Amino acid sequence: MKPIFVRGISNQLRLTLAIILSVMLLVVNHRLEPVRATLSSALSPVQYMASLPSALLNWSSESLATRKMLALQNKELLRQQLLMSERLQRFEHLRQENQRLRALLGSAAYQDSRKMVAEVLEIASDPSHHYVVLNRGSRSGVFVGQPVVDAQGVVGQVVQVGEITSRVLLLSDVSHGIPVRITRNDVRLVANGTGEIHEIELRHVAKSTDIKVGDLLVTSGLGKRYPEGYPVARVMEVFTEDGQSYARVTAQPLAALDRIRYLLLIWPSAEAEASLAQDLPVADEPDVETKGADAKRSVLPTAAQPPATQAPVSQAPVSQAPVSQAPATQTPVKPSRENQARENPAPANQAPATVTTRPASEVQ
């Protein structure tokens, strides 16, 4: 007779197998990056097929737009163009003034870098991770750690690159951090994601820090990951508690992270990297030169010491001349020997030695 309920694997055995499998995955996690990149490249056609319906809907909506809607859009675009033209004229004046000031201060100007427009193919459905997939990959020159921005501000950075796609980690992810500074007073801080799409936080901010609601946060350029000057977020709340050493500061990202469609990939400036590479060895050269100069200075006094020691030797016969009552004919000989000692120190060293010892013995 067969039993009705068959006993399966025990819970302890299942737990043991799960623990062993977890440890194995933790050990080989760093070795699975090529496998993930290969799978990402293999799944890229599926992602393109998944985004095809939305592309068709966008194309149909643009094709079936009415004449009135197009006229309204054209009018709004003309208005924005006028506003942008006026702002561009002001920015051109500021750019020229900034260039003159940099020329006076001898500061290097900012260099334009390479940029590329990318389209969002997929948005992460996992609530614990915030990332998007772009339609640009290693074929387009995308690399891990590349900064990504949109029309309003910084969006995030590339964390995984496939053949024709790449994955971007957003600012709001809990594992993301970015160095920023306040434009009002240049205070430098670090902004971290909170897991909320519309909120980031500034951790370890002292109560004495000059930070106010409405302050604009931009990239500080530290860490050599994000270029300096790109807007990141705006401070929304500064909360302090009695007994706490740090204040709780929250900010709202300027980029619309929940509505992004087109993004801009930024490459670092090659000229800036070249200048930085040239500056590194130049800082060491003065130390070598100063060491060489110090060595030369330390050698020069030793070379100058023999004339100093010869001076009293040449003067000894002059002072002893009256004591030894040397003939008057020898008096002009001694200055000539002194002149020879100044011109040729080595022979003069020996000649006066014979002259001075003899009168000294006669006096004794």
Side-chain angles (χ1 to χ4, degrees), residues 60-110:
S60 60
S61 61
E62 292 175 0
S63 301
L64 299 178
T66 60
R67 183 176 179 273
K68 183 178 180 180
M69 184 182 298
L70 291 176
L72 292 176
Q73 291 180 356
N74 191 17
K75 185 177 181 180
E76 180 64 20
L77 290 175
L78 287 175
R79 187 183 69 84
Q80 293 181 2
Q81 181 182 2
L82 290 176
L83 293 177
M84 292 297 129
S85 299
E86 187 270 338
R87 184 178 298 179
L88 183 62
Q89 293 175 4
R90 288 187 294 148
F91 283 171
E92 180 65 22
H93 172 70
L94 294 176
R95 186 189 67 82
Q96 294 177 358
E97 183 178 1
N98 191 13
Q99 186 175 2
R100 289 193 297 267
L101 292 176
R102 286 183 179 277
L104 291 174
L105 296 175
S107 176
Y110 292 102

Side-chain angles (χ1 to χ4, degrees), residues 98 238-239 275:
N98 191 13
V238 180
F239 183 72
S275 62

Side-chain angles (χ1 to χ4, degrees), residues 73-272:
Q73 291 180 356
N74 191 17
K75 185 177 181 180
E76 180 64 20
L77 290 175
L78 287 175
R79 187 183 69 84
Q80 293 181 2
Q81 181 182 2
L82 290 176
L83 293 177
M84 292 297 129
S85 299
E86 187 270 338
R87 184 178 298 179
L88 183 62
Q89 293 175 4
R90 288 187 294 148
F91 283 171
E92 180 65 22
H93 172 70
L94 294 176
R95 186 189 67 82
Q96 294 177 358
E97 183 178 1
N98 191 13
Q99 186 175 2
R100 289 193 297 267
L101 292 176
R102 286 183 179 277
L104 291 174
L105 296 175
S107 176
Y110 292 102
Q111 302 292 335
D112 293 334
S113 58
R114 176 189 171 193
K115 304 175 182 64
M116 178 183 294
V117 178
E119 185 178 358
V120 176
L121 292 179
E122 182 186 350
I123 299 176
S125 58
D126 187 0
S128 60
H129 297 285
H130 296 174
Y131 65 86
V132 295
V133 178
L134 304 181
N135 64 342
R136 301 288 184 178
S138 58
R139 291 184 180 178
S140 302
V142 181
F143 58 91
V144 176
Q146 185 171 7
V148 182
V149 301
D150 68 350
Q152 282 76 32
V154 177
V155 172
Q157 60 177 309
V158 177
V159 293
Q160 185 179 350
V161 179
E163 194 70 19
I164 55 178
T165 59
S166 57
R167 178 174 296 185
V168 177
L169 188 70
L170 301 183
L171 289 175
S172 56
D173 191 270
V174 293
S175 61
H176 189 278
I178 176 174
V180 297
R181 67 176 176 88
I182 304 175
T183 57
R184 180 172 55 86
N185 51 15
D186 288 339
V187 174
R188 289 178 172 83
L189 304 166
V190 177
N192 301 94
T194 60
E196 299 291 335
I197 198 68
H198 297 294
E199 181 181 322
I200 60 176
E201 66 177 353
L202 305 176
R203 301 174 183 174
H204 308 295
V205 180
K207 288 184 177 181
S208 59
T209 304
D210 184 13
I211 183 171
K212 300 178 181 179
V213 175
D215 284 342
L216 178 63
L217 304 177
V218 298
T219 53
S220 63
L222 300 178
K224 299 180 181 179
R225 181 61 58 89
Y226 293 93
E228 183 182 1
Y230 282 90
V232 177
R234 193 172 294 277
V235 177
M236 301 300 296
E237 181 184 7
V238 180
F239 183 72
T240 58
E241 293 182 358
D242 296 335
Q244 297 293 332
S245 301
Y246 301 101
R248 182 177 180 271
V249 181
T250 59
Q252 182 178 3
L254 296 179
L257 300 180
D258 57 341
R259 297 188 300 272
I260 51 178
R261 181 181 175 187
Y262 294 101
L263 299 177
L264 196 65
L265 297 166
I266 300 177
W267 276 260
S269 176
E271 297 180 1

